[in-house]
Amino acid sequence: MRRVGPSLLALTLSLTSLAALAEVGLRSGPSSSRVEVGAPFTVTLHASLDGGEQVSSPSLAVPPGVVARGPSVSTQSSISMVPGQMRRTVELSITWTLVAPRAGQLKLGPASIVVDGRRLTDRSITVQIVPEGSVPAPRSRNRSRTGSAFDPFAAMDPFGGGDPFSGPMFPPGLAQQLGLLTPPGDPLDDVVRNWPEELNIDRPLDRTAFVDARFGPRKVVVGQQVTLGIYAYARPSPFEIAGGTDPSREDFLSYDLSEGTRTSEHQLLIGREAWYAGKIRQFALFPLRAGRLRVGPMQVTFQGHEKVGKGAYRELKRQSRPLDILVEEPPLNGRPAGYRVGDVGDFKLTAQVEPRSLQQGEAISVRIELNGTGQPPERILLPELPQLDWLPPTLSEDIHRKHEKIGGKRVFQYVVRVLGSGQLELGKVRLPFWNPATNHYEMAEAALGTVEARPSAKPPPPQSSTPSETPLPAARGALRPYQPAALPLTERRGFFLWLLLGPSAVLSYAALRRGLPRLARWSRQRALGPTQRVAAEILAARQSLSSGEGGSAASHLERAIHLAMSSYLKLESRALLRPALAKQLSELGVSGELSAELLAILEAADGLRFTGGGTSDVASLIQRTVRLCDGLRASRSRRGAQS
């Protein structure tokens, strides 16, 4: 349980006492024993005081999730006469307004107050919270000027009672300062009748909070503005949006219509439930292509801007649904020449030309201003006249929002050289566009008028003609069969074959230079017998040793051993691992001592190939290899004699 309600520190009630201190009577109760989910109800604590007691700190314990507002306090005094003295009795009513978020049995209280430093507590009470629609609607009652039958937070007069002996419960201004009064003229009934229509929704998308995204119009063409609004709804208390992510909109040119503005939060009814809602973002989107284009979801975080509200939402995250927008191109039927897809809106053109009188060959300034609603086009149609030379324009723009519509102006500043002379008609600048308001193509035009160009004393330079890339053939004096021109070298048959012969010859020469010596060595080795090939490798190992190349000598010794096993034992040993090699040697009848020596020499040769080793180590390994090869040859002889 937690204590709710404003802390009423230093709140005291001074009662004029004409008698001794008496017991305070407390009783509390709800406005109804059965209440619908989301419907407001009240709990009131009544206290009867007799004497000069000091009263402060009213409190009501409520379960987590239940929103409580208040308390509001009213008093009523009465005077009674007893023999010899006058007694004043004060009836105190302290009221809280509550809203329960879910159905079930709700235990409230106990309610309590502090009287003369002692906290007095009443009993707990129970209210049955039922689903919405379970309690019949109450009959309408006449409402007072300041109250509302619907509004649980309507203003309550803490000075009420009408008793001539009753006085203000608090010092002037203290109740308003401590938040015990709802500001006059702000009853919920008045708010309900005046929320913006754009917040209306058929049904809530969630029981606590949700975000809804909508767009309009529903049918658009490429370049037409789509207004996207994003709205947040929550209950049972006011809320704040604490950050979030904007919706993705890659296929649109986007303007943020909510930038620099802050929409207010409103209270409204969805069905029979009270909600808080507000527009949190608004965008103007201009589709860049036709098709079914998607606007992604927007994610936000709800927080309360009061202590109770923060407890109700606890940084609740919600996101809107993604939206698909169907975009088409304007119709082809009736499309004017020069129209560019995307020029959509309602535009007007104005033009200024300076000066109107000049010398032939000089330039004039043409300023064309494009105004209207919609995304201003980046190009207009210029008059194509031989006496005018239009240079590239300088552009400036001023795009802004007006009543949730994007519009503005774009200025084209041209420098135009006048090539002709005399009274020259400059023609018109034009802009064809699609107007979604009328669903028709329209044409914005601006006449440029005329200029007076005085002939120049210096004749204009002759127009340069672009020479033909292919010279014309000489004229023929008599008819004869057509003789085609000789083909260029690059188009003749076999040109690229001859072009490739040079690189091919170089590659062939390099291959022969390297391959012929290797082929000769291979041929010589094939001509030698097994014993000669082994001896040749051992001789090469000795030569490498004399040159100080221990690693090369070890490689020759390895090849000698593998040649010996291939020649004498018919065993291809290069692809075998050492354990598998030992097993194969045993199966071929090689003694265990000879097999162990063979593996040891291979192991030592592996080490020498990478480390080089000393001269004595390599020389010793050569002698061991010679004895090993002799032993393998003798083993073959024994196997042949046995077979």
Side-chain angles (χ1 to χ4, degrees), residues 300-314:
V300 300
T301 301
F302 287 84
Q303 283 186 345
H305 52 66
E306 295 178 356
K307 184 176 180 180
V308 174
K310 290 181 180 178
Y313 298 120
R314 300 183 184 277

Side-chain angles (χ1 to χ4, degrees), residues 145-165:
R145 182 177 59 87
T146 60
S148 169
F150 175 80
D151 184 11
F153 304 132
M156 300 182 182
D157 183 9
F159 310 107
D163 194 313
F165 295 98

Side-chain angles (χ1 to χ4, degrees), residues 274-299:
W275 286 76
Y276 290 89
K279 182 195 294 181
I280 56 176
R281 293 302 293 274
Q282 189 174 31
F283 298 93
L285 306 179
F286 293 87
L288 301 176
R289 62 179 180 87
R292 186 176 295 275
L293 310 184
R294 168 153 290 201
V295 176
M298 178 176 181
Q299 186 180 64

Side-chain angles (χ1 to χ4, degrees), residues 468 470-476 480 482-483 485:
S468 175
T470 305
L472 295 176
R476 291 182 292 172
R480 60 180 180 271
Y482 171 71
Q483 296 292 334

Side-chain angles (χ1 to χ4, degrees), residues 546-561:
S546 63
S547 302
E549 298 177 358
S552 177
S555 299
H556 285 295
L557 294 178
E558 278 188 342
R559 284 196 290 272
I561 294 173

